[in-house]
Amino acid sequence: MTVTSRRAGKQRIRATGRNPVLDVTGPELDTLATLSDLPSVLPLLQRARVSRNLAFLAAVLRDGEGEDGDRHRLARDGFDLLVAVQRRDPEIAREIFQHPRFGAWVAVCAVGGDDDLVSDEPVAHLASFAAAAAVRAGLTFEMELPRVGDAVVLPGLGCWIGPATAPARVRHDGNGAATLDGYRWTSIRRLTARLPGGAVDIEFDDLPPTPSAWPEVDTVGRDARWTPWKDAEFEAWQRVFGEAVELLVAVVPELADPLIRGIRAVLPRAGDSYPFVTSTLADSFGAAAMVLPADALRVAAGLLHEFQHSKLSVLMEVRPLIAVEGPADLPSPWRRELRPASALLHGIYAHLAVSRFLRLAAGHPGAVAVPDAEPVRRQTLAGCDTLLDSDRLTPAGRRFVTLMRHTAVADSDGRAAAQTV
């Protein structure tokens, strides 16, 4: 699912540090295609996502100028607080602009119907992101925040649950936790994995959903009640997540390294109601929605699959790979229905990595019941051939797909793929 902007606005919040023209070099593009990312690639993709989010935010603020009403007032208060956070600690501001929830929220606010760019309800949540950043930066503030059903959310930190009968005014004295009278606070939980080179620590984001384009099962109404996942369910996630990260590092370290540096959150989903086993929203870089898999191997494959989607979504904004999207008329090895070029490219890139992982995981003591990698590899080759036989690719896209095909061929016997064509 991809959200694009129809309009761009003047940037009101400056990007931190130097602001070079964002582009991916030929060697960086080649290593992405051959699953051997250069160390410079992930920071570049992260900067690109921050830059896009700021452009969307500028459009939202510009088109909301002069608007009355409580929701626009909350957004203006949030913007003022974000400016103060950036002056205090630019890195904390950058972290909030890069947060998966911020990317999903700002895209929804900035992209709408032709005559309705800014929706009153979503735009108010700028105050929530600003408050979360201000707490991290140790700023003193008092501000009203919007609700999500019976909850008031601080993205990345937690939420308050309480009565929806009065304005939710949050206070912070610059130290410790923020307070909201009459509400009960629940901190976000985090999934961790211990590795020889350091710990992996990401959000277990079961908080009430802030506005986004995630395909949620239920719409959150004003009277909705939020219930966190049970401790036993979280502990099951923690166990398989830790094992999955260790397995990725042991089996495919070249793929595990960017993943553990770039993954930010797992969004748990209920298997009886969520339509996907795993999914990624293009606007939420580094986040994956997942139904709890049966074992660590499937968690590892799911994380790897979805992080490939995250990387490619940003890469295609920096360097166009599709010249002509065209109709959904291309056969996909993984779907019964025909697909557009970009969807097929995404499928190839994700399955290329999963194929390598499954092939090298076979026989590893930490992996059980490993599916055969060969069908996945052959499907990947078929997808590459379909795109290469089409007229949909840019010159960079043709090189990218050609290199992916070379990688899939070489992975049949575990040899390193050639990095030139």
Side-chain angles (χ1 to χ4, degrees):
M1 184 180 301
T2 302
V3 179
T4 56
S5 176
R6 291 187 177 89
R7 292 191 266 174
K10 293 176 64 178
Q11 186 168 306
R12 308 281 181 83
I13 300 180
R14 61 180 174 83
T16 58
R18 188 171 64 89
N19 186 26
V21 175
L22 291 173
D23 192 14
V24 61
T25 66
E28 288 170 334
L29 190 68
D30 289 357
T31 59
L32 280 164
T34 56
L35 306 183
S36 54
D37 302 9
L38 287 173
S40 59
V41 166
L42 180 62
L44 182 147
L45 297 179
Q46 291 170 330
R47 291 197 306 273
R49 180 40 49 93
V50 169
S51 179
R52 194 211 66 164
N53 288 348
L54 287 173
F56 277 2
L57 179 59
V60 171
L61 295 171
R62 181 200 64 195
D63 286 274
E65 282 182 339
E67 295 285 348
D68 295 325
D70 290 342
R71 298 303 175 185
H72 286 286
R73 175 179 54 80
L74 294 186
R76 289 192 294 270
D77 291 346
F79 172 75
D80 291 341
L81 186 57
L82 273 175
V83 170
V85 170
Q86 190 170 59
R87 289 170 177 164
R88 169 69 68 85
D89 194 324
E91 184 57 31
I92 289 177
R94 183 181 183 279
E95 282 295 310
I96 207 69
F97 298 143
Q98 186 178 301
H99 194 276
R101 280 191 179 233
F102 187 88
W105 163 80
V106 77
V108 165
C109 289
V111 180
D114 292 338
D115 300 321
D116 183 23
L117 191 67
V118 180
S119 172
D120 280 350
E121 190 65 30
V123 75
H125 287 266
L126 180 60
S128 301
F129 291 102
V135 169
R136 289 191 178 100
L139 290 179
T140 300
F141 69 91
E142 179 175 345
M143 184 169 61
E144 182 183 345
L145 298 186
R147 293 189 184 86
V148 179
D150 67 338
V152 176
V153 181
L154 287 188
L157 295 180
C159 68
W160 288 281
I161 302 298
T165 57
R169 294 200 65 83
V170 174
R171 301 176 181 83
H172 188 243
D173 64 4
N175 298 293
T179 59
L180 178 55
D181 294 341
Y183 284 68
R184 174 176 55 84
W185 174 255
T186 299
S187 296
I188 195 171
R189 290 169 289 189
R190 303 187 70 86
L191 298 172
T192 59
R194 296 187 179 279
L195 301 170
V200 180
D201 185 321
I202 69 170
E203 297 173 12
F204 180 77
D205 191 353
D206 63 343
L207 300 180
T210 43
S212 75
W214 279 105
E216 300 298 340
V217 176
D218 298 314
T219 301
V220 177
R222 294 183 182 277
D223 298 326
R225 297 292 178 261
W226 174 73
T227 302
W229 282 55
K230 296 178 181 178
D231 287 344
E233 295 167 329
F234 169 74
E235 290 166 3
W237 269 102
Q238 173 57 64
R239 182 182 66 258
V240 293
F241 175 79
E243 294 172 356
V245 171
E246 292 176 2
L247 184 60
L248 283 168
V249 171
V251 172
V252 282
E254 73 282 6
L255 294 170
D257 179 66
L259 186 149
I260 63 180
R261 289 188 293 119
I263 193 77
R264 295 287 300 271
V266 163
L267 286 61
R269 297 292 190 252
D272 59 351
S273 58
Y274 196 63
F276 310 105
V277 176
T278 66
S279 65
T280 300
L281 185 67
D283 303 307
S284 293
F285 183 80
M290 300 181 69
V291 174
L292 178 63
D295 53 48
L297 179 109
R298 285 162 179 78
V299 173
L303 289 173
L304 186 57
H305 182 109
E306 300 308 332
F307 191 63
Q308 291 292 100
H309 283 316
S310 272
K311 289 193 299 180
L312 187 60
S313 293
V314 181
L315 173 63
M316 291 172 69
E317 295 171 2
V318 175
R319 177 70 68 88
L321 303 177
I322 302 295
V324 180
E325 180 65 279
D329 61 354
L330 297 176
S332 167
W334 307 283
R335 298 286 191 97
R336 291 184 177 180
E337 69 272 20
L338 298 176
R339 304 288 280 164
S342 61
L344 183 56
L345 181 60
H346 266 279
I348 294 167
Y349 194 54
H351 285 91
L352 179 68
V354 171
S355 171
R356 174 178 291 184
F357 169 67
L358 293 178
R359 179 170 298 280
L360 297 178
H364 189 277
V368 296
V370 181
D372 186 3
E374 186 59 16
V376 182
R377 189 185 72 87
R378 292 192 176 278
Q379 289 169 334
T380 303
L381 286 170
C384 289
D385 290 341
T386 297
L387 272 183
L388 290 172
D389 288 342
S390 75
D391 60 354
R392 308 293 173 83
L393 299 170
T394 65
R398 179 163 292 276
R399 179 181 179 85
F400 192 80
V401 175
T402 300
L403 282 171
M404 286 198 295
R405 193 184 193 288
H406 286 185
T407 302
V409 169
D411 274 358
S412 65
D413 59 9
R415 292 183 291 109
Q419 296 189 13
T420 59
V421 289

